[in-house]
Amino acid sequence: MPDLLLELRSEEIPARMQRKAAGDLRKMLTDGLVETGLTYEAAREYWTPRRLALDIRGLTARSKDIHEEIKGPATSAPEQAVQGFLRKAGLASIAEAHVHSDPKKGDFYVAHISKPGRAAEEIIAELVPGIIRGFPWPKSMRWGPASAKPGSLRWVRPLQSILCTFGPETEEPVVVDFEIDGIRSSNVTYGHRFHAPGEITVRRFDDYVSKLEAAKVVLDADRRKEIILADARNLAFANGLDLVEDEGLLEEVSGLVEWPVVLMGEFEQDFLAIPAEVIRLTIRANQKCFVSRPQGAVEDLSNRFILTANIEAKDGGREIAYGNGKVVRARLSDALYFWKTDQGDLPDLGQLKASAEKFGLDLKKPLDQRMARLDHLGVTFHAKLGTQGERVERIKKLAEELAPIVGADPALARRAAVLAKADLTTEVVGEFPELQGAMGRKYALLQGEHPSVAAAIEEHYKPQGPSDRVPTDSVSIAVALADKLDTLVGFWAIDEKPTGSKDPYALRRAALGVARIVVENGIRLPLTPTFESAYEVADYLASKAGGANGSDLLSFFHDRLKVYLRDQGARHDLIDAVITPQSDDLLQIVHRVEALGSFLDSENGKNLLAGTKRAANILAAEEKKKTAIAETVEPALFREDAEKMLVAAVNQAERQAGEAIQNEDFSAAMLALSVLREPVDSFFERVLVNDEDHAVRANRLALLARIRAATGKVADFSRIAG
């Protein structure tokens, strides 16, 4: 079967757009081919900085003939209905339709549509120009004289050539001929911009790849990544160093070169006085280079960096490495200035005394000065939630309240909360916002803060995603919870909640962070009183925080906990069975789900589930019919031994399960319920619930209600599948 090769070659495409663009091209073209009646065996996309390519194997040479019938209205239908049918069927007049008869419905119109198949080349030539014109680039541009005309071609960068060939392996492929804005498709491409800029005539994909490789272009992005990573590791090792690997940077660099050449540059040893994170970010952000460390070192860096060039220079890359080194040295000089400035006194120190007194800050310490400035400048956190200084005041009080609950020293929690946002006004964080927290920790240790305080300054932002670790130090936990709860309570109070896919303040992440911190650290934290404390701390928000808001926020936490537990493998129906609108202890919910899951995996659990669901279904049906149900179970109305056995078992299960739940031993509560299994089975085997005697029936329904109530203390069994 024929194969299709398509290449769209342009000026350099931004690295961040390449992978998605290649995927979009594959999806748009293959979807279009399938919609027109063609099929294919496999499709794979490729990309370099200057081209998007698509290899489609086993494409059918022609679409199938189509024969279909379109049923129309009755022959007696009004003219408006007939005209609608003609438009739908694509008929010029009703004379082109056929009349069919039905014994029940009478005569009606039918259009017999026959569409002959089309050659694949014709379909491709029609599809590709439309795809190019409608391509979903995040940003695109016009160029050249044609750009002044309305409707001129737009592309991410000027489009230079289109290669499109089609044909089977055993024959000479043909060029699929089409043209868009003066660019005509061909079987010609071009190699590396500097090493092999001449024309290359290709036939099909294998030929295309090998000729590009000979012209210094590695088409496969993943292979370019492998080359860069292997060469960088080897070069570092040869110089007695280890490469500091960076997957994100590797992805970006592979999108900057068509022919990767790995080189090593260096800078002065004096710059190693700068924190490793700052050096790494400076070199990464400005020069897209990797850093290295001495072999076996964990945190220390070396003064050598790894860069990836796009050409094989005649001097072996010495001038390229030297030029990159000059830029790196200039950038590191700036970073060194920022680092030293942050450790000196602020020029407006005299204006910060009021803020220092408010927060108990020591203006002899650099980080304290930065916190005082943050408050003094009145930096806004949110227009309706006040300044950063006001927010720090709220977090400080809430962290101090939470400290005893999580086992932290309240004084350390208070101090950590006060300094948690101080590094936002430092020079380094101003240049590299992604270092907030990390720089605060370094500056805190430099000025002699307690290690737990320093750790909390960095870790109170965690976890920042599902794969990020949660803080484990008790002071970090207190400040992290206070920070996230203040955010959630505040935005709930001003009614700025997530809607649909929109969550501009990352409130879902904050709630999931609270859930993970609590569960993974085994913390018992009733949320309802904690919300109330948070509202009280934010006095100016208290008037806006009604009970409905608190309940709504608790429901939001339930949703986040469900997401977390499902990711951990918990069954959604067990989670729903355990959570009630009032459940505010997330750790207890988790323990209940675990115990319920273990119980239902046992034979007793499976059988009891069946029995209790049967009882619940009977009750629900009778309640819907408003059948009389006795308020209490009356033993005098029992006629069967099975009834007596069941009520005795229910009494025992209620008592033992209640005691176990009070002791928060949910496994024991499940075990207590297991005594119901045989009496429930025996009851349904021997007893007819809907007895003709109304009093007996009402009494037996009351007994079923007792079963539902007893099991309901542990979970809502009606929500469990099975």
Side-chain angles (χ1 to χ4, degrees):
M1 294 178 75
D3 301 330
L4 172 66
L5 170 62
L6 175 67
E7 179 201 73
L8 306 176
R9 190 180 63 89
S10 68
E11 294 290 338
E12 276 74 2
I13 305 167
R16 68 183 183 280
M17 299 182 188
Q18 294 167 18
R19 184 180 289 272
K20 182 179 184 302
D24 288 341
L25 178 63
R26 175 183 54 78
K27 186 176 189 308
M28 293 171 77
L29 185 52
T30 54
D31 285 356
L33 294 171
V34 170
E35 285 173 11
T36 57
L38 298 177
T39 62
Y40 64 95
E41 293 176 357
R44 184 176 173 187
E45 68 273 24
Y46 297 86
W47 62 93
T48 79
R50 299 180 63 218
R51 65 200 81 219
L52 301 178
L54 193 57
D55 173 29
I56 300 181
R57 301 289 176 96
L59 185 64
T60 44
R62 187 178 183 84
S63 62
K64 292 181 180 179
D65 296 341
I66 296 174
H67 302 283
E68 62 177 333
E69 291 186 356
I70 299 177
K71 186 177 178 181
T75 54
S76 58
E79 182 63 20
Q80 188 176 359
V82 172
Q83 291 301 319
F85 164 63
L86 294 178
R87 287 193 297 273
K88 178 182 177 183
L91 302 181
S93 71
I94 199 64
E96 296 179 9
H98 297 257
V99 176
H100 287 204
S101 296
D102 183 279
K104 294 182 179 178
K105 297 181 180 179
D107 294 345
F108 57 91
Y109 292 114
V110 174
H112 292 181
I113 307 298
S114 294
K115 293 181 182 178
R118 300 166 64 200
E121 299 100 297
E122 180 186 341
I123 293 171
I124 295 163
E126 185 180 280
L127 282 174
V128 176
I131 290 170
I132 292 173
R133 286 195 179 278
F135 203 79
W137 291 109
K139 289 185 178 180
S140 54
M141 61 180 286
R142 296 190 183 98
W143 61 92
S147 64
K149 300 176 184 177
S152 62
L153 178 63
R154 299 176 67 94
W155 197 245
V156 63
R157 295 291 184 270
L159 189 62
Q160 296 178 327
S161 68
I162 301 171
L163 181 151
C164 192
T165 66
F166 179 72
E169 288 186 15
T170 56
E171 298 175 16
E172 187 70 19
V174 299
V175 172
V176 180
D177 185 48
F178 57 88
E179 182 264 343
I180 179 167
D181 271 31
I183 304 172
R184 183 162 291 281
S185 59
S186 70
N187 59 351
V188 173
T189 187
Y190 299 81
H192 192 282
R193 182 189 291 276
F194 303 111
H195 290 307
E199 289 188 1
I200 303 170
T201 302
V202 300
R203 299 171 67 245
R204 53 180 54 82
F205 182 74
D206 293 340
D207 178 47
Y208 169 70
V209 172
S210 61
K211 286 184 175 177
L212 278 182
E213 188 99 11
K216 305 292 187 183
V217 175
V218 178
L219 182 67
D220 188 340
D222 290 331
R223 185 160 164 259
R224 292 198 303 276
K225 286 173 68 173
E226 291 169 5
I227 291 169
I228 294 167
L229 183 58
D231 288 356
R233 285 172 174 167
N234 291 338
L235 185 56
F237 182 78
N239 286 270
L241 304 168
D242 287 331
L243 176 71
V244 178
E245 296 184 15
D246 185 329
E247 177 60 30
L249 179 59
L250 182 62
E251 173 79 13
E252 183 175 9
V253 169
S254 73
L256 297 175
V257 296
E258 290 196 318
W259 188 253
V261 178
V262 174
L263 305 169
M264 178 173 282
E266 65 179 312
F267 54 86
E268 286 74 16
Q269 290 271 0
D270 293 347
F271 288 122
L272 295 178
I274 306 170
E277 298 94 330
V278 179
I279 295 174
R280 184 176 178 180
L281 268 176
T282 299
I283 294 176
R284 184 190 201 278
N286 293 293
Q287 289 303 103
K288 312 301 180 191
C289 295
F290 299 88
V291 294
S292 64
R293 58 168 59 105
Q295 286 182 353
V298 178
E299 296 183 358
D300 295 336
L301 297 182
S302 79
N303 66 326
R304 305 283 187 91
F305 62 90
I306 307 286
L307 62 113
T308 308
N310 193 34
I311 60 172
E312 291 179 349
K314 293 178 181 178
D315 66 352
R318 281 194 297 275
E319 282 298 318
I320 296 173
Y322 176 73
N324 275 266
K326 284 177 66 176
V327 179
V328 165
R329 282 191 286 277
R331 298 299 187 184
L332 289 178
S333 293
D334 292 341
L336 184 60
Y337 169 78
F338 297 146
W339 168 247
K340 289 181 176 178
T341 300
D342 285 341
Q343 296 171 62
D345 288 338
L346 291 171
D348 55 350
L349 203 54
Q351 303 173 31
L352 307 180
K353 291 181 180 178
S355 293
E357 290 177 8
K358 184 196 303 186
F359 288 100
L361 299 166
D362 182 355
L363 291 181
K364 295 177 183 176
K365 297 180 176 181
L367 201 57
D368 290 54
Q369 291 180 25
R370 270 66 189 173
M371 178 56 221
R373 173 182 265 189
L374 184 68
D375 180 65
H376 171 71
L377 293 176
V379 177
T380 301
F381 168 63
H382 185 280
K384 295 180 181 179
L385 296 175
T387 66
Q388 285 282 10
E390 290 170 328
R391 181 163 186 255
V392 168
E393 181 69 28
R394 300 196 301 269
I395 294 171
K396 178 190 75 172
K397 292 179 180 177
L398 190 54
E400 200 169 2
E401 278 191 34
L402 291 171
I405 299 173
V406 302
D409 182 330
L412 293 179
R414 181 174 62 248
R415 176 65 173 166
V418 166
L419 295 179
K421 308 296 180 182
D423 66 353
L424 295 178
T425 58
T426 61
E427 299 290 333
V428 170
V429 173
E431 182 73 8
F432 301 111
E434 55 267 57
L435 287 180
Q436 63 184 4
M439 295 313 300
R441 179 177 195 161
K442 287 189 176 296
Y443 292 139
L445 291 172
L446 282 173
Q447 69 179 34
E449 298 296 334
H450 190 284
S452 290
V453 170
I457 293 172
E458 179 176 19
E459 294 179 347
H460 81 281
Y461 291 108
K462 293 182 177 297
Q464 294 190 327
S467 60
D468 194 15
R469 66 177 182 84
V470 300
T472 55
D473 181 278
S474 58
V475 176
S476 297
I477 291 169
V479 181
L481 289 174
D483 177 60
K484 291 169 177 59
L485 288 167
D486 174 78
T487 298
L488 287 158
V489 167
F491 282 106
W492 241 251
I494 63 173
D495 200 26
E496 290 277 358
K497 306 167 189 174
T499 55
S501 62
K502 296 181 180 178
D503 187 10
Y505 304 111
L507 302 182
R508 291 188 180 97
R509 186 175 70 188
L512 185 57
V514 171
R516 285 190 58 202
I517 290 169
V518 166
V519 171
E520 293 177 27
N521 285 293
I523 296 169
R524 301 298 306 277
L525 179 68
L527 289 177
T528 303
T530 307
F531 294 158
E532 292 169 359
S533 295
Y535 281 125
E536 289 169 8
V537 167
D539 292 331
Y540 66 96
L541 295 176
S543 61
K544 300 178 183 178
N549 273 346
S551 174
D552 189 18
L553 182 53
L554 187 58
S555 174
F556 184 70
F557 269 95
H558 289 166
D559 290 340
R560 295 303 95 202
L561 183 65
K562 288 177 183 179
V563 171
Y564 170 70
L565 290 177
R566 285 170 192 160
D567 288 344
Q568 301 298 307
R571 283 169 45 183
H572 68 89
D573 57 331
L574 302 192
I575 303 168
D576 290 337
V578 163
I579 291 181
T580 68
Q582 295 76 37
S583 302
D584 72 344
D585 187 329
L586 303 184
L587 185 62
Q588 188 183 84
I589 292 171
V590 173
H591 288 164
R592 281 177 177 262
V593 170
E594 290 171 350
L596 182 59
S598 297
F599 177 59
L600 293 177
D601 284 340
S602 69
E603 198 63 30
N604 279 343
K606 291 172 186 173
N607 289 335
L608 179 61
L609 174 63
T612 53
K613 284 178 77 73
R614 185 175 177 184
N617 290 338
I618 292 171
L619 269 173
E622 296 305 319
E623 287 169 342
K624 191 174 182 179
K625 291 188 287 186
K626 298 187 177 178
T627 304
I629 301 173
E631 292 185 7
T632 59
V633 176
E634 180 53 61
L637 292 172
F638 290 160
R639 294 180 177 176
E640 304 285 346
D641 289 341
E643 294 175 279
K644 298 173 185 177
M645 289 172 56
L646 180 56
V647 77
V650 169
N651 289 336
Q652 178 186 339
E654 280 182 332
R655 184 181 68 258
Q656 292 179 348
E659 291 173 358
I661 289 169
Q662 278 204 329
N663 296 329
E664 299 193 2
D665 187 345
F666 301 110
S667 295
M670 300 293 173
L671 186 63
L673 290 181
S674 67
V675 303
L676 290 174
R677 174 200 162 175
E678 290 185 9
V680 167
D681 289 347
S682 179
F683 177 83
F684 283 118
E685 285 175 11
R686 294 179 172 82
V687 176
L688 177 65
V689 175
N690 286 322
D691 193 90
E692 292 181 1
D693 187 320
H694 293 297
V696 172
R697 180 171 60 197
N699 197 55
R700 287 173 178 172
L701 289 172
L703 186 51
L704 298 188
R706 286 280 303 279
I707 297 171
R708 184 172 64 183
T711 55
K713 289 182 178 180
V714 175
D716 183 351
F717 277 59
S718 67
R719 290 178 172 268
I720 302 172

